Amino acid sequence: MPKHIEGNFHTLEYGEGVLRLIDQTRLPGEEVYLECRTEEEVAEAIRAMVVRGAPAIGVAAAYGMAMAAARRADLSPEEIRAALDAAGERLAATRPTAVNLFWAIERMREAARASGAAGGEALAGELLALAAEMHREDVAICRRIGDLGAGLLPEEGQVLTHCNAGALATAGYGTAGGVIRSGFRDGKVKRVWVDETRPFLQGARLTAWELSRDGIPVTLIADNMAAFCMQQGRVGVVVVGADRVAANGDVANKIGTYGLAVLAREHGVPFYVAAPMSTIDFKTPTGEDIPIEERSAEELRTIGGRRIAPEEVEVFHPAFDVTPARLVDALVTERGVVRLAAGESLETLSGP
Ligand code: MRU
């Protein structure tokens, strides 16, 4: 039986007014950390994808809000609440699709509104404690998702995953990455097929790095090889993360996910999505209502700074797509598993 796997790096770390982020734009070549001291710096790190992945963005934003309060601890609670509104707007303007960002900002603002703290120092202390709690909570949630999801995996599983929904995309352990980690621990994951995930290459740069470090067998493929791998029977199950799940179960995730879901259905391969409750957006009725981030043309016209397409060519670059609920065999959350394709509703997860 393979030994239990622990991530041995930290996606985010906070101490003494500084949020340290492993710089995901520099991996796998360099393992360097970026230090953020202000909410503006945190917002810029999210925008530039130094930190990325829905739950990790949420936790980073929570610390950004806490830092906005801590830097103004000499002000009154009312003045701090006003500063938090501005900080929240700034952080929210960075990336539109991952709902965890807005969920985390709102949770911090709500805590500030509800607080009875007599002074700024006390309020700032409460907010920092809440951000740290959200950080710890995210790791625990990922472990729960991982263990639940591992139960769905076939024996001797060959898992295909897309983008990075691992420890790097969360406060630790990962969602889809957590299912893979728990599955490997339980002897159920024999091999992980990792899509390179054009154009930002989260699969090649991040997932391949993260899983290899943990001794999990990884085979990297280009995105256009997934169909052939499934046709050849090399893939037993697909597990991905999510950036936002609409109330009807439609799933927004990294561009390319929808294609994999269609392929999985064609080849009779189960398609699973792993995500925390904070990724479910009951206020957004269907996938059509999910805002899809469009990123720069240059990200597509270049690879690693090297031009691969004419400078002037027109580009369409949606960073996410939407997989209809009917193609999602199971959504794994910390509250349980919903068989969306079989017609089960997300309502089964709601409640306190
Ligand atoms: O653009 P990114 O790298 O932030 O996109 C990340 C993804 O699409 C992940 O699959 C998703 O956030 C789930 S992370 C646990």
Side-chain angles (χ1 to χ4, degrees):
M1 184 77 76
K3 68 177 170 43
H4 187 73
I5 303 297
E6 292 287 343
N8 47 4
F9 57 85
H10 293 284
T11 306
L12 321 100
E13 259 178 331
Y14 181 85
E16 299 183 6
V18 181
L19 178 65
R20 288 176 83 235
L21 301 168
I22 191 165
D23 187 339
Q24 301 194 31
T25 65
R26 309 271 283 268
L27 288 170
E30 289 172 274
E31 192 178 321
V32 290
Y33 290 79
L34 181 79
E35 297 196 333
C36 300
R37 290 181 168 75
T38 65
E39 65 274 24
E40 289 87 359
E41 287 174 356
V42 175
E44 179 51 25
I46 295 173
R47 193 204 57 74
M49 293 175 70
V50 166
V51 60
R52 34 71 45 207
I57 294 173
V59 175
Y63 277 119
M65 294 290 279
M67 287 152 78
R71 292 169 63 217
R72 297 168 179 87
D74 54 331
L75 301 182
S76 70
E78 247 351 280
E79 288 167 315
I80 290 181
R81 285 186 191 103
L84 285 174
D85 289 344
E89 267 176 41
R90 183 160 203 143
L91 288 158
T94 52
R95 298 194 71 193
T97 304
V99 75
N100 307 59
L101 175 65
F102 310 101
W103 168 86
I105 293 167
E106 197 39 46
R107 192 165 162 192
M108 295 296 285
R109 286 182 63 209
E110 178 53 38
R113 282 196 292 268
S115 167
E121 191 98 17
L123 177 57
E126 285 175 17
L127 293 176
L128 192 54
L130 177 57
E133 188 185 313
M134 287 162 74
H135 188 168
R136 283 190 302 272
E137 198 178 82
D138 189 56
V139 183
I141 285 170
C142 285
R143 287 183 183 280
R144 171 94 185 119
I145 290 173
D147 290 353
L148 271 177
L152 302 178
L153 297 179
E155 290 303 321
E156 299 274 288
Q158 298 227 37
V159 183
L160 185 143
T161 193
H162 188 64
C163 193
N164 175 271
L168 286 166
T170 60
Y173 206 68
T175 54
V179 173
I180 290 168
R181 283 200 162 82
S182 293
F184 185 68
R185 176 200 64 200
D186 296 347
K188 293 181 95 179
V189 173
K190 201 166 82 181
R191 172 150 309 274
V192 182
W193 296 89
V194 176
D195 275 356
E196 63 178 352
T197 317
R198 276 279 292 149
F200 208 69
L201 304 177
Q202 290 95 328
R205 293 190 303 106
L206 308 177
T207 304
W209 177 82
E210 187 185 315
L211 295 182
S212 302
R213 263 174 85 112
D214 279 352
I216 299 176
V218 169
T219 302
L220 178 65
I221 55 172
D223 298 342
N224 53 6
M225 297 170 191
F228 186 58
C229 290
M230 286 193 203
Q231 194 182 45
Q232 288 200 324
R234 292 175 192 266
V235 177
V237 57
V238 177
V239 187
V240 296
D243 284 82
R244 193 185 295 224
V245 181
N248 71 342
D250 291 348
V251 173
N253 191 50
K254 181 52 52 191
I255 192 77
T257 302
Y258 171 44
L260 287 175
V262 172
L263 287 174
R265 180 58 54 91
E266 166 69 17
H267 292 93
V269 171
F271 181 88
Y272 299 144
V273 175
M277 290 300 296
S278 52
T279 301
I280 299 180
D281 180 5
F282 285 102
K283 291 199 207 97
T284 295
T286 74
E288 277 180 29
D289 309 302
I290 298 176
I292 300 295
E293 176 180 9
E294 284 192 35
R295 294 187 61 85
S296 82
E298 274 310 271
E299 242 171 48
L300 209 62
R301 293 191 198 115
T302 58
I303 293 185
R306 184 160 165 249
R307 181 158 306 288
I308 55 150
E311 207 170 339
E312 64 287 353
V313 72
E314 201 177 302
V315 163
F316 176 49
H317 180 190
F320 300 93
D321 59 25
V322 176
T323 300
R326 68 186 153 75
L327 295 180
V328 179
D329 292 298
L331 171 71
V332 186
T333 75
E334 70 273 27
R335 286 206 186 157
V337 174
V338 189
R339 306 269 179 183
L340 292 168
E344 282 181 16
S345 154
L346 291 181
E347 288 303 323
T348 56
L349 301 171
S350 57

